[in-house]
């Protein structure tokens, strides 16, 4: 970007729309660090400063944006940051599908989807909606049906004690009052947002839907904000709360956002019992208005005292009977905050601080003994290696009471979630009595299981657990740990550059995960020039060139292994296993790993969408007699070359039953496993 010294700086009046540095940088798709640097270098000129912070007029912002779009320089492209994603979009799953407001808001968002909205514009739209809802809740009859904010700014809509909630929403962080002229300017710039009629619906977070749909997508992701659908909130509350609670019961949402969890609480709660925290100012201001709608005639002073802008992780000292909510996932902390978290929390000691882990740890600090915590969390908390610390903390400080596997519940987010409910206790952890909901099945664990913090695999029934325990503890089981070599496929760093579709004298076949099937490899026309020094990551060549090796799909939850003796290369979706188990043939091991029994054990024990080395090393492999091994190898070799689908399946099923016998299973146990897995290769 060229210096701006030769550009005439536009003049602005007090009533012009202005952008903060954060908003300005988001419009330009640059980081705030880049924006600050350009100001220091004189490439940008803020129109004014307030309390030491730069502000840019809409006219100047538009001028710089157009200039950047015209520039054909690499520097801007290299400064672009993917987290600064522009645009607005409706958050489909947030409120009930039968809401009378959904289509109205959807149409508004559609009209605004290509616009970047400044905080002042978002606050004005929220105020328009809030004024309408408050008028309906408190029966303030009006002669007009739109532009409520304009009429409010003219003093035509008295809201009594709730005036202060609207005025705070309209004011920015640097001011305690709002500008009537600014309200008029905003309405002039985006009139379609003020020609909408909102309908009051009991306990429906209309303000929340508006806010998250208008908010910049990149800001949502940077904050780790994944807003919980109301039907999931209902599930959490129903599992957490008894039919009646004591009057002195205190309940907290430590990351309350606009207050949807608190809105859904049963009617027997009062405002005196409810508390909410969040670091997002606009969210808290909207949550206060939601509380004024839910708890009519509650003093504003109490609402503001209970629903506060506060960092739960670093500032909360109180004790609560219930803590519930959806902690942020993947928040980006500043360097100073990260240092404070590392000092305070065990779950923050690693190289990366994951926000939802420290929220769970802090919730255990803030809840009273005997009190309950219920959070919506990523399923990864139950089994990912880097989350081991929080599992150990739960085992030492709490008792799991309810665990529900939710799957992908968040709009446009591919990350399975769980609903985890725990009680803080001084007693030893036990599994008896834990309620489980998994893929439509509901059961209660009736046995005391041995729990390993490495994996929380509570999703298996008592019968399945007992069967796996039986298999694992047989004397003739061996394990691959310390008896096999593993290697990753090649990570080129740029497949478009390195992976080719036509064969030449210089390249060779390279296999991908989709080329690997049970017992078979079906290479496609994919080629690679082997140049390990130029790749982003590569294993030692000896692994790719091994005389014999097993190749397996890395991504997925199915064990899919094939035999290779052609020294072929593989990409990182296709990993390598070279076993060195005395008196155990590599083709026999391939057959075991492709079996229904091995799949059953793997899926029940590890519940992972990746086939990981640490998990494969824990799979029990039955040591066969020489006759059994040769019989299974013979069938494996037939399966490897058979092209007729019916014959292939017949060979597979025969080998599968033989493997079940080697595992020591009865016919009924094998049938139960087969039915549970429902696998057809």
């Amino acid at each position: 970007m060229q210096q701006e010294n030769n550009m005439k700086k536009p003049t602005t009046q007090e009533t012009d729309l202005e952008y903060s540095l954060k908003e300005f940088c988001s419009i330009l798709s640059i980081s705030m660090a880049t924006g600050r640097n350009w100001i220091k270098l004189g490439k940008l000129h803020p129109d004014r400063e307030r309390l030491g912070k730069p502000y840019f007029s809409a006219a100047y912002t538009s001028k710089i944006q157009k200039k950047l779009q015209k520039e054909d320089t690499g520097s801007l492209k290299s400064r672009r940051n993917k987290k600064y994603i522009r645009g607005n979009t409706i958050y489909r799953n947030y409120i009930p599908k039968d809401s009378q407001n959904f289509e109205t808001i959807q149409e508004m968002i559609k009209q605004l989807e290509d616009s970047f909205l400044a905080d002042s514009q978002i606050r004005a739209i929220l105020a328009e909606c809030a004024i309408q809802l408050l008028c309906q809740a408190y029966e303030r009859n009006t002669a007009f049906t739109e532009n409520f904010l304009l009429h409010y700014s003219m003093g035509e809509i008295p809201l009594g004690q709730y005036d202060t909630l609207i005025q705070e929403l309209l004011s920015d962080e640097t001011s305690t009052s709002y500008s009537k002229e600014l309200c008029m300017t905003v309405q002039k710039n985006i009139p379609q947002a003020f020609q909408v009629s909102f309908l009051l619906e009991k306990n429906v977070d209309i303000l929340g839907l508006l806010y998250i749909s208008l908010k910049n997508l990149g800001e949502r992701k940077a904050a780790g904000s994944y807003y919980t659908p109301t039907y999931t909130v209902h599930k959490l509350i129903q599992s957490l709360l008894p039919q009646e609670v004591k009057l002195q019961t205190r309940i907290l949402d430590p990351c309350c956002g606009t207050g949807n969890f608190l809105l859904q609480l049963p009617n027997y709660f009062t405002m005196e019992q409810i508390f909410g925290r969040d670091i997002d100012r606009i969210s808290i201001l909207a949550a206060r208005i939601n509380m004024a709608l839910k708890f009519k005639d509650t003093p504003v002073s109490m609402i503001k005292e209970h629903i506060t802008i506060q960092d739960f992780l670093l500032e909360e000292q109180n004790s609560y009977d219930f803590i519930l909510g959806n902690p942020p996932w993947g928040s980006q902390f500043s360097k100073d905050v990260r240092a404070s978290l590392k000092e305070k929390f065990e779950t923050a000691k690693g190289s990366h601080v994951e926000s939802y882990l420290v929220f769970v740890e802090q919730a255990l600090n803030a809840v009273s003994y005997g009190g309950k915590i219920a959070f919506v969390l990523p399923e990864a908390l139950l089994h990912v290696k880097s989350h081991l610390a929080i599992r150990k903390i739960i085992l030492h400080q709490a008792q799991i009471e309810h665990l529900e596997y939710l799957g992908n519940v968040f709009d446009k987010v591919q990350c399975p979630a769980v609903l985890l409910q725990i009680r803080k206790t001084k007693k030893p952890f036990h599994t008896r009595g834990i309620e489980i909901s998994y893929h439509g099945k509901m059961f209660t664990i009736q046995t005391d299981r041995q729990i390993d913090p490495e994996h929380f695999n509570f999703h298996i029934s008592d019968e399945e657990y007992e069967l796996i325990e039986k298999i694992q503890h047989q004397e003739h089981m061996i394990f691959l740990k310390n008896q096999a070599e593993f290697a990753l496929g090649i990570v080129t760093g740029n497949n478009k550059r390195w992976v080719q579709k036509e064969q030449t004298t210089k390249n060779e076949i390279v296999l991908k995960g989709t080329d690997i099937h049970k017992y078979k490899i079906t290479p496609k026309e994919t080629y690679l020039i082997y140049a390990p020094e130029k790749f982003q990551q590569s294993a030692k060549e000896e692994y790719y060139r091994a005389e014999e090796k097993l190749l397996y799909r890395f991504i997925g939850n199915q064990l899919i292994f094939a035999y290779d003796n052609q020294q072929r290369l593989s990409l990182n979706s296709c990993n390598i296993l070279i076993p060195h188990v005395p008196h155990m043939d590599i083709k026999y091991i391939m057959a075991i790993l492709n079996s229904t029994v091995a799949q059953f054990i793997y899926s029940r024990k590890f519940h992972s969408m990746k086939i990981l080395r640490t998990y494969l090393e824990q799979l029990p492999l039955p040591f066969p007699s020489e006759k059994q091994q040769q019989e299974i190898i013979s069938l494996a070799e037939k399966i490897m070359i058979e092209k007729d689908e019916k014959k292939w399946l017949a060979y597979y099923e025969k080998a599968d039953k033989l493997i079940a016998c080697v595992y020591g299973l009865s016919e009924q146990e094998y049938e139960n496993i087969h039915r549970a897995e429902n696998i057809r290769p």
Side-chain angles (χ1 to χ4, degrees):
M1 178 178 169
Q2 300 297 316
Q3 295 282 338
E4 290 297 315
N5 292 336
N6 60 338
M7 295 178 62
K8 183 179 179 182
K9 195 166 75 169
T11 59
T12 60
Q13 296 182 6
E14 194 68 24
T15 58
D16 285 346
L17 179 64
E18 292 181 330
Y19 296 113
S20 66
L21 177 62
K22 180 180 178 182
E23 296 168 337
F24 182 82
C25 291
S26 192
I27 293 171
L28 302 185
S29 295
I30 61 175
S31 69
M32 287 184 66
T34 298
R36 293 190 191 98
N37 190 43
W38 284 359
I39 292 173
K40 290 179 182 177
L41 295 174
K43 295 179 180 181
L44 297 175
H45 297 278
D47 290 88
R48 71 180 72 254
E49 285 192 1
R50 294 207 301 273
L51 298 180
K53 296 182 179 181
Y55 285 83
F56 303 84
S57 69
Y60 181 72
T61 302
S62 178
K63 190 171 185 176
I64 298 299
Q65 186 180 28
K66 290 176 182 177
K67 182 175 179 62
L68 290 175
Q69 290 171 346
K70 290 179 181 178
E71 285 186 357
D72 188 22
T73 63
S75 61
L76 176 64
K77 292 180 181 178
S78 67
R79 295 283 186 175
R80 297 278 179 175
N81 190 326
K82 290 183 180 179
K83 78 177 182 182
Y84 291 90
I85 305 169
R86 293 253 339 257
N88 314 302
T89 181
I90 192 75
Y91 207 82
R92 295 184 177 276
N93 295 336
Y94 186 64
I95 62 175
K97 293 180 180 179
D98 59 355
S99 168
Q100 300 176 70
N101 288 278
F102 184 83
E103 289 186 7
T104 301
I105 296 175
Q106 185 177 38
E107 182 59 32
M108 179 208 291
I109 299 301
K110 186 176 181 180
Q111 294 180 44
L112 297 172
E113 64 183 350
D114 294 325
S115 304
F116 179 90
L117 299 177
D119 278 355
S120 57
Q121 293 173 306
I122 293 174
R123 287 187 278 108
I125 296 171
L126 290 174
E128 170 73 20
C129 177
I131 294 167
Q132 291 192 33
L133 298 180
L134 286 168
C135 283
Q136 294 172 54
Y138 291 91
E139 300 180 354
R140 304 289 197 270
N141 296 322
T142 61
F144 38 83
T145 58
E146 59 183 42
N147 286 306
F148 277 68
L149 177 58
L150 178 61
H151 291 283
Y152 175 81
S153 65
M154 303 293 288
E156 299 175 16
I157 307 177
L159 293 175
Q161 65 169 331
Y162 301 117
D163 269 331
T164 183
L165 299 180
I166 300 298
Q167 290 168 12
E168 288 178 345
L169 181 58
L170 289 169
S171 306
D172 64 24
E173 296 180 56
T174 65
S175 174
T176 57
S177 61
Y178 74 99
S179 164
K180 296 178 183 178
E181 291 80 5
L182 180 60
C183 291
M184 297 175 68
T185 301
V186 170
Q187 290 186 311
K188 182 179 179 182
N189 290 337
I190 45 173
Q192 64 270 40
F194 299 91
Q195 298 167 357
V196 177
S197 294
F198 299 99
L199 297 175
L200 178 66
E201 296 179 274
K202 186 177 181 180
N203 299 338
V204 177
D205 188 12
I206 304 304
L207 289 170
L209 178 63
L210 261 182
Y211 182 43
I212 61 182
S213 298
L214 293 171
K215 196 174 181 181
N216 181 279
L217 288 172
E219 291 179 29
R220 287 192 221 162
K221 294 186 177 182
S225 300
Y226 298 98
Y227 294 84
T228 315
T230 298
Y231 67 83
T232 302
V233 178
H234 286 158
K235 280 186 176 183
L236 182 147
I237 290 173
Q238 288 170 6
S239 70
L240 175 68
L241 299 175
Q243 291 300 310
E244 294 183 5
V245 297
K246 299 177 182 178
L247 291 177
Q248 65 269 31
T249 296
R250 291 160 54 89
I251 187 165
L252 168 73
D253 184 344
C255 38
C256 67
T258 53
N260 194 29
F261 279 86
L262 303 180
L263 271 178
Q264 308 312 320
L265 290 174
N267 292 332
Y268 53 72
F269 275 97
T270 64
M271 191 66 228
E272 288 93 332
Q273 299 171 281
I274 292 174
F275 299 82
R277 308 280 184 261
D278 209 293
I279 60 173
D280 184 289
R281 178 177 180 270
I282 296 178
S283 288
I284 284 294
L285 297 177
R288 289 173 177 172
I289 294 168
N290 272 330
M291 294 302 98
L293 294 170
K294 181 178 178 68
F295 301 104
K296 291 183 65 175
D297 299 318
T298 297
V300 167
S301 58
M302 178 184 294
I303 293 175
K304 292 173 68 172
E305 182 182 345
H306 285 221
I307 310 297
T308 59
I309 305 168
Q310 185 173 321
D311 190 333
F312 171 73
L313 297 177
L314 298 177
E315 301 172 24
E316 188 64 54
Q317 300 294 330
N318 292 314
S319 180
Y320 300 91
D321 301 289
F322 297 101
I323 297 179
L324 80 174
N326 174 18
W329 304 7
S331 292
Q332 297 176 13
F333 297 109
S334 68
K335 184 178 179 180
D336 290 343
V337 170
R338 194 161 56 248
S340 297
L341 295 174
K342 284 180 175 293
E343 184 177 341
K344 183 174 182 179
F345 297 108
E346 286 298 316
T347 53
K349 301 298 185 189
S351 58
H352 172 68
V353 180
E354 175 51 68
S355 50
Y356 60 82
L357 299 180
V358 287
F359 262 88
V360 175
E361 186 175 353
Q362 175 67 336
L364 279 167
N365 295 334
V367 74
S368 58
Y369 278 104
K372 293 184 181 182
I373 300 164
F375 279 159
V376 178
L377 298 160
E379 191 178 300
L381 177 139
L382 302 177
H383 52 76
V384 169
K385 185 176 181 180
S386 59
H387 299 352
L388 178 62
I390 193 61
R391 293 193 291 273
K392 287 183 176 180
I393 289 171
I394 290 172
L395 289 180
H396 284 94
Q397 298 185 24
Q399 174 63 46
I400 296 176
E401 295 193 337
H402 180 84
L403 177 61
E404 184 164 353
Y405 293 80
L406 301 172
N408 296 316
V409 295
F410 297 103
D411 192 25
K412 300 177 182 177
V413 178
Q414 296 298 313
C415 182
V418 295
L419 191 166
L420 178 66
Q421 177 187 313
I422 59 180
R423 181 190 293 275
K424 187 174 180 178
T425 178
K426 296 180 180 180
K427 298 179 181 179
F429 185 92
H430 60 86
T431 59
R432 189 185 295 270
I434 300 177
E435 296 176 348
I436 304 294
S437 177
Y438 177 70
H439 290 185
K441 298 185 298 181
M442 297 186 67
F443 61 91
T444 300
I445 297 175
Q446 302 290 350
T447 58
D448 289 322
R449 302 180 184 177
Q450 184 176 353
I451 297 301
D452 185 346
E454 292 287 342
H455 312 287
F456 277 4
N457 55 333
F458 300 110
H459 61 288
I460 63 176
S461 67
D462 289 338
E463 293 76 17
E464 291 172 336
Y465 176 80
E466 289 172 5
L467 182 54
I468 291 173
E469 285 291 293
K470 171 189 172 181
I471 293 171
Q472 289 189 137
H473 290 94
Q474 294 186 69
E475 291 183 358
H476 66 297
M477 294 298 162
I478 63 97
F479 298 86
L480 289 174
K481 189 171 184 178
N482 301 322
Q483 300 194 88
E485 296 174 276
F486 292 83
L488 301 176
I490 295 167
V491 181
T492 66
N494 187 343
N495 280 358
K496 288 185 178 180
R497 176 184 177 187
W498 292 105
V499 179
Q500 302 161 357
K501 294 185 178 180
E502 295 183 2
Q503 189 170 17
T504 68
T505 56
K506 295 182 179 181
N507 63 23
E508 59 184 298
I509 282 282
V510 63
L511 300 171
K512 299 183 293 185
T514 52
D515 298 333
I516 310 302
H517 308 275
K518 286 184 182 289
Y519 292 95
K520 287 192 175 185
I521 299 174
T522 56
K524 300 180 178 64
E525 294 181 348
T526 307
Y527 305 92
L528 182 74
I529 297 174
Y530 185 62
E533 71 281 358
K534 297 180 180 180
F535 299 149
Q536 181 177 322
Q537 184 177 334
S538 178
K540 294 179 181 179
E541 186 174 3
E542 62 191 68
Y543 293 119
Y544 304 117
R545 307 306 185 190
E547 291 186 10
E548 291 184 302
K549 65 178 182 286
L550 297 181
L551 296 172
Y552 62 96
R553 288 190 191 179
F554 175 58
I555 304 299
N557 59 3
Q558 298 294 307
L559 297 177
I560 300 176
F561 285 77
Y563 173 81
D564 177 61
N565 62 355
Q566 299 182 36
Q567 294 79 53
R568 287 176 281 196
L569 302 175
S570 64
L571 294 175
N572 59 315
S573 57
C574 175
N575 287 349
I576 297 168
L577 164 61
I578 305 175
H580 301 294
V581 182
H583 311 295
M584 191 174 283
D585 190 271
I586 188 172
K587 291 178 183 176
Y588 169 79
I589 293 174
M590 172 184 64
I592 296 296
L593 294 174
N594 279 328
S595 71
T596 304
V597 178
Q599 179 63 52
F600 170 77
I601 298 170
Y602 190 90
S603 63
R604 296 308 189 272
K605 275 183 67 69
F606 306 117
H607 200 61
S608 170
M609 288 305 295
K610 293 180 181 178
I611 307 302
L612 301 177
R613 170 182 177 169
T614 54
Y615 297 167
L616 292 175
E617 289 179 330
Q618 296 176 59
L619 277 179
L621 307 182
F623 203 97
S625 67
E626 185 175 342
K627 180 182 177 181
Q628 288 173 320
Q629 181 166 194
Q630 289 304 318
E631 194 172 0
I632 291 170
I633 291 171
S634 176
L635 285 167
E637 289 174 340
K638 290 178 181 179
I639 296 169
M640 289 166 61
I641 62 174
E642 184 57 64
K643 295 182 179 179
D644 183 273
E645 186 175 342
K646 289 185 178 179
K647 290 182 179 179
W648 189 98
L649 187 58
Y651 288 139
Y652 178 88
E653 290 181 343
K654 187 174 182 180
D656 208 44
K657 290 179 180 178
L658 281 174
I659 290 168
C661 289
V662 180
Y663 267 111
L665 300 180
S666 67
E667 288 187 15
Q668 186 59 54
E669 288 171 333
Y670 173 68
E671 286 300 318
N672 291 343
I673 287 176
H674 205 278
R675 188 164 48 250
E677 283 303 306
N678 194 25
I679 292 176
R680 285 293 182 270

